[in-house]
Amino acid sequence: MSMVYINIFLAFTLSFMGLLIYRSHLMSSLLCLEGMMLSLFIMMTVTILVNHFTLASMAPIVLLVFAACEAALGLSLLVMVSNTYGTDYVQNLNLLQC
Amino acid sequence: MMTYIVFILSVIFVVSFVGFSSKPSPVYGGLVLIVSGAVGCGIVLSFGGSFLGLMVFLIYLGGMLVVFGYTTAMATEQYPEVWVSNKAVLGAFIVGLLSELLTACYILKGDDIEVEVVLKFNGAGDWVIYDTGDSGFFSEEAMGIAALYSYGTWLVIVTGWSLLIGVLVIMEVTRGN
């Protein structure tokens, strides 16, 4: 395992922590999710290119397809929240009143 | 310096990840994500993956982040927060920068260091390129992606179908009641 992977793992861990720790906007959590997908793509691509793992080169493309699906779904949920409440603040998601 | 170009690019990658993980206003987070996507494309290009680097730029940055951009413009506030305008954001940014600086200094300190977190990271293999010696006249990575249509026909069907279902789901979600 080469040393470049340490930085990419660190990037994945940082955006994972960013996803789990909310601040005010729902949109910034979706951006952290996109960051996780980007770091996974880079890690997968670098592993495939270093080891000449030719037939697995289609796997990053499939990862990108499913990441696009999930980003679009997240954005549509954010649009619905924003239509209902005016902004996308996380403190608006409080229907459970206990 | 050119021998360390991949390491420098990965450090800039992590610094821009810290930039949007410390969560300023989403407008600035989107801008920094674009920078990190460009640097990630540079990392992929340094290892010889030209098609996959182009994929990052076209589909990831040009497709997904443009959608994020105008959705952010739709659901944003009047005075967006910068990194220095809020102590929580600035504190998170500095903590992330410090951890990356520590990691980078530890990696650059010696040539024969070994880090064991879950796997063993070893810097000795960085300058060796695994090669079978017979690469022919074509790019292996482009041929591997072209195999998506011959060996990976079922993958194409599944991903195409899931994209179609995703579009229908989003239409139902945004229809509301």
Side-chain angles (χ1 to χ4, degrees), chain B residues 81-148:
Chain B
E81 275 180 348
V82 201
W83 287 275
V84 294
S85 72
N86 187 351
K87 285 200 181 44
V89 175
L90 187 63
F93 187 66
I94 289 180
V95 163
L97 267 186
L98 275 179
S99 58
E100 169 57 24
L101 216 60
L102 281 174
T103 311
C105 287
Y106 184 67
I107 291 177
L108 285 176
K109 202 177 51 156
D111 266 335
D112 52 350
I113 45 175
E114 206 171 75
V115 177
E116 177 163 7
V117 178
V118 174
L119 307 156
K120 264 197 197 327
F121 292 101
N122 190 354
D126 265 348
W127 316 124
V128 173
I129 300 181
Y130 303 104
D131 208 344
T132 56
D134 178 22
S135 67
F137 298 107
F138 45 83
S139 151
E140 291 178 347
E141 162 229 10
M143 291 304 119
I145 295 170
L148 184 62

Side-chain angles (χ1 to χ4, degrees), chain A residues 1-2 4 7 9-11 14-15 18 21 23 25 27-28 34-35 41-42 52 54 61 66 69 72 75 89, chain B residues 10 14 17-18 21 23 56 60 64 67-68 72 77 81 86 89 100 121-122 126 130 140 144-145 162-163:
Chain A
M1 277 276 194
S2 80
V4 165
N7 276 331
F9 281 165
L10 192 62
L14 279 170
S15 52
I21 302 176
R23 281 193 69 235
H25 281 279
M27 183 73 185
S28 40
E34 285 313 302
F41 178 90
I42 303 291
H52 292 282
T54 308
I61 296 184
F66 287 120
C69 276
L75 279 175
Y89 288 148
Chain B
S10 65
V14 176
F17 262 60
V18 171
S21 292
K23 287 206 269 285
V56 168
Y60 193 82
M64 288 161 58
V67 174
F68 267 89
T72 308
E77 59 207 356
E81 275 180 348
N86 187 351
V89 175
E100 169 57 24
F121 292 101
N122 190 354
D126 265 348
Y130 303 104
E140 291 178 347
I145 295 170
S162 75
L163 278 173

Side-chain angles (χ1 to χ4, degrees), chain A residues 10 14 27 30 35 45 47 58 63 65-67 79 82 94 96:
Chain A
L10 192 62
L14 279 170
M27 183 73 185
L30 287 181
T45 308
T47 308
M58 55 178 93
L63 176 72
V65 167
F66 287 120
V79 161
S82 179
N94 55 359
L96 186 65

Side-chain angles (χ1 to χ4, degrees), chain A residues 44 48 54-66 69, chain B residues 144-164:
Chain A
M44 198 187 272
I48 288 170
T54 308
L55 266 186
S57 305
M58 55 178 93
I61 296 184
V62 174
L63 176 72
L64 221 54
V65 167
F66 287 120
C69 276
Chain B
I145 295 170
L148 184 62
Y149 294 106
S150 62
Y151 290 109
T153 311
W154 180 240
L155 263 179
V156 173
I157 293 174
V158 166
T159 50
W161 186 247
S162 75
L163 278 173
L164 182 65

Side-chain angles (χ1 to χ4, degrees), chain A residues 26-85:
Chain A
L26 193 62
M27 183 73 185
S28 40
S29 298
L30 287 181
L31 282 176
C32 287
L33 194 65
E34 285 313 302
M36 278 168 65
M37 286 297 137
L38 178 67
S39 67
L40 280 178
F41 178 90
I42 303 291
M43 205 184 304
M44 198 187 272
T45 308
V46 167
T47 308
I48 288 170
L49 286 172
V50 165
N51 294 323
H52 292 282
F53 197 6
T54 308
L55 266 186
S57 305
M58 55 178 93
I61 296 184
V62 174
L63 176 72
L64 221 54
V65 167
F66 287 120
C69 276
E70 109 188 47
L73 257 167
L75 279 175
S76 70
L77 288 172
L78 183 129
V79 161
M80 287 314 286
V81 167
S82 179
N83 275 349
T84 316
Y85 293 105

